Amino acid sequence: MMKKILLICCLLVGITSAGFAQKSTGITDPVEKAKGLQKELKLTDIQTTKIAAIYKESSQKFEKIKASEHGNTNKMLVAVRPLRAATIKKIKDVLTPAQAVKYDKLIKDNKGGNSSGWSDGWSAAEAH
């Protein structure tokens, strides 16, 4: 009986964890991305609003690149580099020096695997 209860608990924890992991990556809404960054960097509401606008602009430009390259991942990766660099610069212009250091760390930590896309206005999942 105890083994069944333990097994059920483990399954529930596993399912809950997997569901949360899927929800936490690939945020595409610019406002939600900015709110996530607000939590990470302790942004003010004004900073969060400015960053949401930056993410929105970046997302719109990404969609144009995606359409013009017809989903060709290799061409998109090349075309997106300057957009990502510009987005990072615009965001850093809104941040305090201390926040910029934390932001750099977030970008560096998210380079591999499933990133939250803090450096862009689109999710990592959309780029593929």
Side-chain angles (χ1 to χ4, degrees), residues 29-47:
D29 178 57
V31 174
E32 290 303 313
K33 282 182 74 118
K35 285 181 181 177
L37 202 56
Q38 182 178 33
K39 289 176 188 167
E40 294 285 336
L41 302 178
K42 296 178 177 51
L43 302 175
T44 66
D45 289 342
I46 293 169
Q47 287 174 308

Side-chain angles (χ1 to χ4, degrees), residues 61-119:
K61 288 180 179 179
F62 174 77
E63 288 302 321
K64 287 179 184 173
I65 290 170
K66 191 170 151 183
S68 70
E69 299 301 345
H70 307 291
N72 181 323
T73 306
N74 293 330
K75 288 182 179 181
M76 284 171 47
L77 287 173
V78 172
V80 161
R81 275 191 204 116
L83 175 58
R84 178 170 276 132
T87 302
I88 290 170
K89 183 186 180 319
K90 287 177 186 177
I91 290 172
K92 286 172 98 174
D93 287 346
V94 174
L95 303 176
T96 66
Q99 289 170 331
V101 169
K102 288 180 184 176
Y103 180 66
D104 282 337
K105 186 176 180 341
L106 274 178
I107 294 169
K108 184 178 172 222
D109 290 348
N110 286 328
K111 279 282 184 187
N114 291 332
S115 78
S116 297
W118 298 124
S119 62

